[in-house]
Amino acid sequence: MASEQTAWGIDIGECALRALKLTRIGQDVRLEAFDVIEHSKILTQPDADKASLARSALEQFLARNDLGESVVAVSMPGQGGFTRFVKLPPVEQKQVPEIVRFEAEQQIPFPIDEVIWRWQAFTTPDSPDIEVGIFAVRRTDVTGVLDQFKQFGVDVSVVQMAPLALYNFMEFDGQLAKEGATLLIDIGAAKTDLVISEGSRIWTRTLQLGGNNFTQVLMKVFKLSFSKAERLKRTAATSKYARQIFQAMRPVFAELAQEIQRSIGYYTSLHRESRLRKVIGLGNGFRLPGLQKYLEQSLGISVVWMDAYNKLSPAGVSKAPVFTDNVLSFGVSYGLAVQGLGLSLIHISEPTRLGMISY
């Protein structure tokens, strides 16, 4: 009989803590449990005590869920890390680590002894080219993430940057286009993560644009508090002032689309043979009425609003209303849990006295 393994993926975001528990029996993966704990304030609000709110959410989560013997994988924001993808010149395999080390020392914008960094090579069977992903996080940032859990006695096994967790989710769940490139756009409260996958190649970028930018423009135009502007944004579709609300938010729509177009343009300038075949929308920011259509018109390609997962065995928990209401925002948690089960494509890790730091 195949042994059973479980992993929790825990993502403490700006709006809420979201977590998935996956169970692996052989090659079958089942959604075992989930949780969503909304913060009383968005962590980026001017008067929000970010540390206290995050701690409160984690305390509630641990009171409601038994981590038991599960592997625990947690996220850190994409903007908190450094990611670079480098094409290597034709060299012997034994020379690759030395060249990567040189590239890392040249490109990582912090002293090398202040970061935890690793690399992973991406190759294709029919090409001699080697593209290397260099991933780095500051040691102090990782320690800060781990300290959140350490105060509750939680042993964290994996710390992963959110964009790479999204890639692991996308690859494992079979969301990639069969040919060409797939772009995932995950719109959160304070930022938007872009992940492009094409064959064995990946590319990521974090935009400093998110749902809060829409809220802030409504604050300015309608002279509202943050909380009232946030409420207005969420009810825009049914408001009698819908036209005025969307007109006020239009510059943010345009800026977001422009940054996404610029990112696609940069990626295709590096890989001129690339063709974008699929765009996936994630994050509760995609619930904003009109955004999906606006991006489709701007990018010239349909944008898929994900409403279900492909690879999780059906279970009663996946039909719970709270789960279906939040399906757009579980991507990071899903990818974390997949890595915790040892099923992710990006898996680089280093055992340390702090635990298993993966990124």
Side-chain angles (χ1 to χ4, degrees):
M1 184 176 178
S3 61
E4 185 174 298
Q5 182 183 6
T6 63
W8 274 102
I10 303 173
D11 175 33
I12 302 180
E14 301 292 339
C15 291
L17 179 153
R18 295 182 176 87
L20 289 185
K21 180 183 181 182
L22 302 185
T23 297
R24 176 186 182 184
I25 304 176
Q27 292 304 308
D28 183 51
V29 176
R30 183 176 69 241
L31 174 61
E32 194 74 31
F34 74 93
D35 207 347
V36 179
I37 299 172
E38 292 194 3
H39 306 308
S40 58
K41 292 182 179 179
I42 295 176
L43 300 190
T44 49
Q45 283 184 234
D47 58 344
D49 184 338
K50 185 172 182 177
S52 177
L53 290 167
R55 183 170 58 252
S56 175
L58 183 55
E59 186 174 20
Q60 290 180 61
F61 170 76
L62 295 173
R64 303 186 337 193
N65 299 279
D66 180 12
L67 272 55
E69 298 300 317
S70 299
V71 172
V72 177
V74 303
S75 66
M76 64 181 301
Q79 67 265 35
F82 170 87
T83 302
R84 188 74 80 243
F85 299 93
V86 180
K87 283 187 177 180
L88 301 186
V91 295
E92 294 183 20
Q93 191 68 32
K94 64 181 181 181
Q95 295 179 290
V96 170
E98 181 181 348
I99 294 175
V100 173
R101 171 85 188 190
F102 174 80
E103 290 287 350
E105 291 177 339
Q106 296 300 309
Q107 299 202 39
I108 295 174
F110 309 107
I112 202 73
D113 60 349
E114 293 182 7
V115 301
I116 299 171
W117 75 278
R118 285 296 179 270
W119 60 276
Q120 185 163 326
F122 301 94
T123 60
T124 54
D126 56 350
S127 173
D129 294 337
I130 299 177
E131 187 164 13
V132 170
I134 299 173
F135 311 107
V137 288
R138 298 182 70 173
R139 292 182 181 275
T140 53
D141 291 340
V142 173
T143 301
V145 171
L146 293 174
D147 283 347
Q148 287 182 297
F149 291 83
K150 186 178 180 180
Q151 63 182 308
F152 294 106
V154 177
D155 183 17
V156 173
S157 297
V158 173
V159 178
Q160 177 64 283
M161 289 189 289
L164 299 184
L166 288 169
Y167 170 76
N168 282 332
F169 145 69
M170 190 165 54
E171 190 277 333
F172 176 82
D173 199 58
Q175 296 291 344
L176 304 178
K178 293 181 179 179
E179 295 182 356
T182 299
L183 167 63
L184 183 146
I185 306 171
D186 184 23
I187 303 177
K191 44 82 179 174
T192 296
D193 286 324
L194 306 179
V195 182
I196 296 178
S197 176
E198 185 173 16
S200 62
R201 178 190 301 148
I202 70 168
W203 182 88
T204 71
R205 183 188 177 200
T206 298
L207 308 178
Q208 301 307 311
L209 279 169
N212 288 351
N213 294 84
F214 294 96
T215 305
Q216 288 161 359
V217 77
L218 294 180
M219 289 174 63
K220 181 177 180 180
V221 171
F222 296 105
K223 308 219 175 343
L224 300 172
S225 66
F226 187 96
S227 58
K228 289 183 178 180
E230 179 70 17
R231 193 177 309 116
L232 184 64
K233 180 186 72 176
R234 295 188 182 194
T235 59
T238 57
S239 172
K240 64 181 180 180
Y241 301 109
R243 187 179 65 81
Q244 293 94 325
I245 294 170
F246 290 121
Q247 188 63 34
M249 294 191 296
R250 190 174 181 82
V252 186
F253 276 76
E255 185 180 3
L256 178 61
Q258 184 179 50
E259 286 299 321
I260 294 172
Q261 288 175 317
R262 182 177 293 129
S263 299
I264 296 171
Y266 178 75
Y267 175 81
T268 54
S269 73
L270 299 176
H271 309 285
R272 296 192 179 278
E273 78 288 355
S274 179
R275 296 293 181 271
L276 184 62
R277 301 299 187 192
K278 184 177 181 181
V279 180
I280 301 170
L282 278 184
N284 281 338
F286 253 97
R287 296 186 182 280
L288 193 62
L291 179 57
Q292 181 181 10
K293 183 178 180 180
Y294 188 92
L295 289 179
E296 287 180 335
Q297 293 174 341
S298 300
L299 303 178
I301 186 172
S302 63
V303 178
V304 179
W305 181 341
M306 187 179 299
D307 58 3
Y309 302 133
N310 295 326
K311 291 289 185 69
L312 299 182
S313 296
V317 67
S318 66
K319 297 179 176 18
V322 176
F323 182 82
T324 55
D325 287 347
N326 285 273
V327 72
L328 279 173
S329 57
F330 279 124
V332 172
S333 302
Y334 188 167
L336 291 169
V338 166
Q339 185 168 349
L341 293 175
L343 297 173
S344 61
L345 195 59
I346 291 184
H347 54 269
I348 38 183
S349 60
E350 176 190 2
T352 75
R353 64 184 180 83
L354 298 174
M356 182 76 74
I357 309 303
S358 304
Y359 38 91

